[in-house]
Amino acid sequence: MQFIDLKTQYQHVAEQVNANIQKVLEHGQYIMGQEVAELETQLQDFVGASHCIGVSNGSDALLIAMLALGIGPGDEVITTAFSFFATASMIKLLGAKPVFVDIDPQTYNIDPELIESVINAKTKAILPVSLYGQCADFNAINTIAEKHNLPVIEDAAQSLGATYQGKQSCNLSTIATTSFFPSKPLGCYGDGGACFTNDSELALRMKQIRVHGQEKRYHHVRLGLNGRLDTLQAAILLAKLPLFMDEVAMRQRVADNYQALFADVDTVVIPHVVPNNTSVYGQYTLRVKQRDELQAVLKGKGIPTAVHYPAPMSSQPAIEDHRVGQYPHAEAAAKEVLSLPMHPYLGMADQAKIVAAIEEFYA
């Protein structure tokens, strides 16, 4: 049983993937080839944003977004206490301070009601994460941001293809970033990412930043980095994008089947999707007791699982946060979350085996 089955997915797109790769090999434009611009156009149309900037990976996407907003030493960026470490580490790399906020225990996303209490003169942005494939509460977040004249950056590394009140993830804030890591809902075969915005000036800055701040050849108007999306990865994504919404629907069917199978299992907490939202289930994550013991038993039965994530960002050694212990929901979630196999091609028989094994453990 596969936690994420990329081999089966490849079989559905192999002909187009191979053709696209061959095309790049023949034209030889491996850096910033025409496929990058073509992918950017298709992605911006998909999410409804005015601009898409292909970049090297999801972490660099966050870095580029914050550089475009002028965030630097002494600034503060408000973000969730519960996410992958890249969200906080990119803030720290710029010399800024991540200011953490606890999560909504049902969605695992940042709790908007707690944001305003940590805003001060040093605050330069709000960076919510759309965790596990469901968007954060952007109406509430954007209302607070507008009141305090702050930009909002959506970390949509796990949520491309999800919707919030009818709007696509990556078109809900000042800037959005996403990742094309192979295990993401839309993944390439290496590293890749993108930034989205409706602000033309920010788009220009991000395009410059991804090529060392270059406005034209050897003329650098700002500091930047080598943050370009590889042409071969863009070509692979172009082959996979036409299938993406079908796979999103398939992921939903897998999630629906999990929900039905777990309907009478009161020993676990299943994912909660807010009304008027859709999730792409970047992860299908339960809340469980005796997690380590359960995980070991499932492994013994050939069922792969993962923990996303075993510690809040606030407790990581590289982060100096003197409010550790002040994020009770994030800290509780870190002890109990367990992600099950989730991909478009997960069979119902495998799902039944997974749920039966969990029922047996608690019985």
Side-chain angles (χ1 to χ4, degrees), residues 212-321:
H212 296 288
Q214 186 171 263
E215 182 183 52
K216 56 186 178 181
R217 191 164 177 81
Y218 300 131
H219 182 69
H220 303 266
V221 295
R222 62 186 76 251
L223 295 177
L225 61 148
N226 181 5
R228 301 166 300 203
L229 176 64
D230 184 82
T231 305
L232 281 168
Q233 300 303 336
I236 291 162
L237 289 165
L238 282 168
K240 296 178 74 173
L241 191 54
L243 183 65
F244 181 50
M245 286 312 295
D246 288 339
E247 289 195 336
V248 169
M250 293 162 71
R251 296 177 83 93
Q252 182 63 57
R253 285 196 291 272
V254 171
D256 289 344
N257 191 47
Y258 267 136
Q259 308 289 73
L261 289 169
F262 279 119
D264 297 321
V265 181
D266 59 6
T267 49
V268 304
V269 178
I270 59 178
H272 172 75
V273 178
V274 176
N276 299 317
N277 279 12
T278 64
S279 176
V280 287
Y281 294 97
Q283 308 294 344
Y284 187 87
T285 302
L286 303 178
R287 198 82 175 259
V288 301
K289 302 296 185 183
Q290 298 174 269
R291 181 181 65 197
D292 293 347
E293 295 90 337
L294 172 60
Q295 194 170 25
V297 167
L298 294 177
K299 182 179 180 180
K301 294 177 180 290
I303 298 171
T305 59
V307 176
H308 302 101
Y309 299 94
M313 293 192 294
S314 54
S315 66
Q316 294 292 343
I319 298 291
E320 297 176 4
D321 181 5

Side-chain angles (χ1 to χ4, degrees), residues 24 73 85 90 173 274 281 287 290 350:
V24 175
F85 185 60
M90 294 303 103
S173 57
V274 176
Y281 294 97
R287 198 82 175 259
Q290 298 174 269
D350 279 344

Side-chain angles (χ1 to χ4, degrees), residues 324-362:
V324 170
Q326 300 301 308
Y327 316 104
H329 294 307
E331 290 159 12
K335 296 175 182 177
E336 297 181 348
V337 290
L338 184 68
S339 298
L340 302 183
M342 164 53 78
H343 56 82
Y345 306 98
L346 184 62
M348 295 180 71
D350 279 344
Q351 287 188 269
K353 177 182 176 181
I354 293 164
V355 176
I358 292 172
E359 285 188 284
E360 181 183 348
F361 173 83
Y362 286 111

Side-chain angles (χ1 to χ4, degrees), residues 8 10 25 56 67-68 70 79 86 95-96 142 148 165 172 180 200 204 210 246 258 278-279 286 301 323 329:
T8 299
Y10 171 67
L25 295 175
S56 44
L67 282 168
T79 192
N142 289 336
H148 295 274
Q165 300 191 9
L172 302 169
F180 302 127
S200 297
L204 176 61
R210 72 174 171 183
D246 288 339
Y258 267 136
T278 64
S279 176
L286 303 178
K301 294 177 180 290
R323 296 183 71 243
H329 294 307

Side-chain angles (χ1 to χ4, degrees), residues 19-63:
N20 285 10
I21 290 174
Q22 186 61 38
K23 182 180 176 183
V24 175
L25 295 175
E26 289 173 359
H27 68 55
Q29 297 172 352
Y30 301 113
I31 304 298
M32 297 301 290
Q34 63 191 38
E35 286 79 4
V36 175
E38 185 179 346
L39 177 67
E40 290 172 339
T41 298
Q42 291 192 22
L43 286 172
Q44 69 192 36
D45 290 345
F46 175 78
V47 306
S50 301
H51 305 278
C52 172
I53 301 92
V55 300
S56 44
N57 56 66
S59 299
D60 285 347
L62 288 167
L63 198 63

